[in-house]
Amino acid sequence: MDKGPTGADALREALADLGVDLRIYVPGYPATEAVPALGGGASMAANEKVAMEVALGASASGRRSIVLVKHLGVNILSDPLSIAPSHTIGAGLVILVGEDVGPRGSQVEMDVRNYGPLCEVPVIDPWGPQLLALALSEAFALSERVRAPAMVRTTFEFGEAARSPAQAKTTIHAEKKEEKGAGSETFDRSIWDLTAKGRHQRYRGEVLPLLRRASATSSLNLLRDGGGELGMIASGRPAGLALNLGTKPPLLVVGISHPLPWDLIRVFVRDHGRILIAEEPTPFIEARLQISEKVFGKTTGHLPWGRMEAEDLERALELIAAGARPGPGPSPQRFEERPASRDVCDDCPFWPLYEAVRDLGVPVAGDAGCSIRAIRPPLEAVDVVYGLGSSVGVASGFSEKGVALIGDYALGHSGLLGLIDAVKNGREVLVILLDNGVAAMTGGQSVPDIKSLLERIVPGQRTLDLPVAKDLIEEVLAEELAEPGVSLVVVRGTCPRYDAER
């Protein structure tokens, strides 16, 4: 097959063609790979909620905007996202979400399509890099038509080159769209003539029918005719796999996951005796069709949850055609089976700190940064790790005074709120800030220096400049652990991977 431009290439060209003024992002795999395509004028936000709020401000004043995040970032921005549709926006606003299907560089796998019905926003689902520009074009046009944010989710890699699938006979045609340049709409204050209930009534009565029409007529929908009673419905990356299968079963590719093109789906299901649903990472479409005994996929055990490959689709089609039951699912993947996973780097300057923390004999909460690598041997310095910026809040809930290990990026992202809460409520926690001036796990981006703020929040904080002897680290930590209330120790070191400006 011929290889074409990458997803990042498509993104770069689309943003220029669509006149997108504000480009804002929060790094994290797999979104980091697309950051250079945003251009030199792009800015990195402190966290995803702030990114969404800045984009809403740009939209309200007539500037098209895009927010680039990884899948977990949608959790953070969902608060303003849930409010924006019924309150309306101005110029087009698109959230571009890179999903880590696998997951390969994230703590958890999550299907952001669920935010479509939850926040009542359209979710556009291109199956390959070659469709990303079209998806973004539809998203901005739709966002401005309904005055609400639109989401584009990708389950392929941004660095992945487009591959031309086998030609399919397409019998679905999109409605003709008006040629439109960059958005110029500003926020419509007449929305305040309605109550909160009235705004929802307006949105559900006027906007949702427009979204359903857009889903049914999207250029991203595709129908491939074929013989036989066994057909496939696919979305996202698995649709690209399905298009290139040698068996060429009848196939409906769904280009918008919310709202789904129900008329197309109903006809396809009616015309075929059995249907395999191919999607990643969870059974989002399949779950909505489970009432039909014709439907097979993840919930029936025919396809794996998470990431799949072409051979998974071929095997599932063979099993369904033969009426055979699928075997047991795979065993849970173990750490040693993932060669890409790593422990703390051998030349990390914070090694003596991790060893000192381990020897304190108290519970330790790590964070979704480098400290997450200290959970396994030989260090085993960290007991629990949850979301980015969570360690201060988590450690504040321990039954005894324990330790919160947090990086400067995580603290600025959202951990600062946990620290403020701990001080306000007199909680017992020793916060150790790993200060290296960069977001080391997401590509070495610079992070804001908030140490002057910390001095006001936790007076009397102590600072250690690495390298220092482990004995001195142990002495300082033991002294602070013995003090009542909130303690803060700032440990400064330089990541050997990045030459951070200090």
Side-chain angles (χ1 to χ4, degrees):
M1 292 176 210
D2 295 330
K3 291 186 177 182
T6 66
D9 293 333
L11 174 60
R12 183 181 299 105
E13 294 177 10
L15 294 180
D17 292 342
L18 293 168
V20 181
D21 294 320
L22 180 84
R23 307 169 186 192
I24 193 166
Y25 69 95
V26 178
Y29 180 83
T32 304
E33 196 170 26
V35 169
L38 296 180
S43 61
M44 174 178 160
N47 68 22
E48 294 82 358
K49 181 174 183 288
V50 172
M52 184 68 188
E53 290 163 346
V54 173
L56 285 168
S59 169
S61 59
R63 304 168 64 203
R64 276 186 170 176
S65 56
I66 190 167
V67 179
L68 171 66
V69 297
K70 66 181 292 178
H71 62 300
L72 290 173
V74 181
N75 295 326
I76 310 299
L77 62 77
S78 63
D79 179 48
L81 178 63
S82 66
I83 296 168
S86 62
H87 284 229
T88 79
I89 63 170
L93 193 168
V94 172
I95 303 106
L96 177 58
V97 184
E99 282 207 27
D100 186 2
V101 180
R104 297 179 176 184
S106 307
Q107 290 175 270
V108 70
E109 188 174 68
M110 190 185 79
D111 196 324
V112 301
R113 290 178 294 178
N114 291 290
Y115 276 101
L118 180 64
C119 296
E120 298 182 306
V121 295
V123 180
I124 299 175
D125 205 4
W127 54 259
Q130 59 268 56
L131 292 178
L132 182 56
L134 176 59
L136 290 169
S137 178
E138 286 201 12
F140 275 104
L142 185 57
S143 173
E144 288 172 350
R145 189 186 314 161
V146 301
R147 285 186 170 270
M151 184 182 297
V152 175
R153 50 108 57 167
T154 62
T155 49
F156 51 83
E157 302 283 338
F158 285 105
E160 177 183 334
R163 292 174 177 267
S164 301
Q167 292 299 312
K169 182 181 177 182
T170 303
T171 57
I172 297 171
H173 302 283
E175 62 178 336
K176 186 176 180 180
K177 299 193 171 52
E178 297 179 4
E179 292 296 325
K180 192 168 188 178
S184 59
E185 298 86 348
T186 55
F187 184 78
D188 182 3
R189 289 183 57 83
S190 67
I191 199 69
W192 301 125
D193 294 337
L194 302 174
T195 63
K197 179 178 179 180
R199 291 192 289 274
H200 264 108
Q201 289 171 321
R202 179 206 66 83
Y203 188 79
R204 290 165 179 162
E206 299 176 11
V207 175
L208 292 185
L210 295 176
L211 294 181
R212 288 192 287 269
R213 171 66 177 163
S215 178
T217 59
S218 171
S219 301
L220 296 163
N221 294 332
L222 184 148
L223 179 62
R224 181 176 68 190
D225 298 328
E229 56 114 26
L230 175 55
M232 292 180 63
I233 297 175
S235 73
R237 177 178 163 274
L241 300 177
L243 282 165
N244 286 292
L245 289 179
T247 51
K248 302 287 185 289
L251 173 66
L252 172 63
V253 174
V254 174
I256 296 184
S257 292
H258 180 76
L260 286 164
W262 282 115
D263 288 343
L264 300 176
I265 291 173
R266 275 190 288 267
V267 170
F268 192 84
V269 172
R270 182 199 66 195
D271 291 347
H272 296 87
R274 288 171 290 180
I275 308 292
L276 176 65
I277 312 293
E279 55 187 331
E280 291 175 338
T282 68
F284 179 85
I285 300 172
E286 182 185 347
R288 287 153 176 78
L289 296 172
Q290 266 188 299
I291 194 171
S292 172
E293 294 181 352
K294 294 182 175 184
V295 172
F296 301 85
K298 297 179 186 294
T299 59
T300 61
H302 290 82
L303 286 174
W305 288 62
R307 190 175 179 88
M308 66 181 70
E309 300 301 339
E311 52 266 30
D312 296 313
L313 299 181
E314 292 169 345
R315 176 178 177 273
L317 289 170
E318 291 172 0
L319 288 172
I320 296 168
R325 293 180 177 274
S331 300
Q333 186 182 68
R334 300 190 63 81
F335 174 73
E336 55 266 23
E337 298 169 14
R338 284 283 303 274
S341 299
R342 300 209 310 267
D343 298 316
V344 174
C345 300
D346 292 339
D347 56 352
C348 176
F350 293 96
W351 259 89
L353 172 67
Y354 289 127
E355 293 174 330
V357 167
R358 176 194 60 200
D359 296 341
L360 287 174
V362 297
V364 178
D367 221 288
C370 291
S371 66
I372 196 173
R373 294 178 172 174
I375 59 176
R376 288 177 288 270
L379 284 171
E380 295 184 283
V382 174
D383 298 305
V384 294
V385 180
Y386 295 99
L388 183 64
S390 68
S391 62
V392 180
V394 171
S396 295
F398 289 156
S399 59
E400 59 179 306
K401 185 169 183 176
V403 170
L405 277 174
I406 188 166
D408 44 2
Y409 173 51
L411 187 68
H413 177 273
S414 51
L416 192 60
L417 297 177
L419 182 61
I420 292 171
D421 175 84
V423 171
K424 176 182 178 294
N425 291 290
R427 306 195 193 281
E428 297 287 324
V429 59
L430 167 57
V431 179
I432 302 175
L433 174 61
L434 285 69
D435 177 19
N436 61 13
V438 296
M441 291 281 281
T442 62
Q445 299 86 356
S446 62
V447 301
D449 186 349
I450 59 173
K451 287 187 286 296
S452 59
L453 294 176
L454 297 180
E455 291 168 0
R456 302 293 297 273
I457 297 170
V458 188
Q461 67 186 50
R462 300 176 71 170
T463 301
L464 292 172
D465 286 300
L466 299 176
V468 296
K470 181 189 170 188
D471 291 347
L472 176 58
I473 298 174
E474 291 175 337
E475 179 183 336
V476 170
L477 298 186
E479 290 174 357
E480 293 301 319
L481 199 59
E483 292 291 325
V486 178
S487 304
L488 174 63
V489 177
V490 179
V491 183
R492 292 166 52 90
T494 300
C495 177
R497 303 291 174 269
Y498 306 101
D499 185 18
E501 295 182 5
R502 307 290 303 175

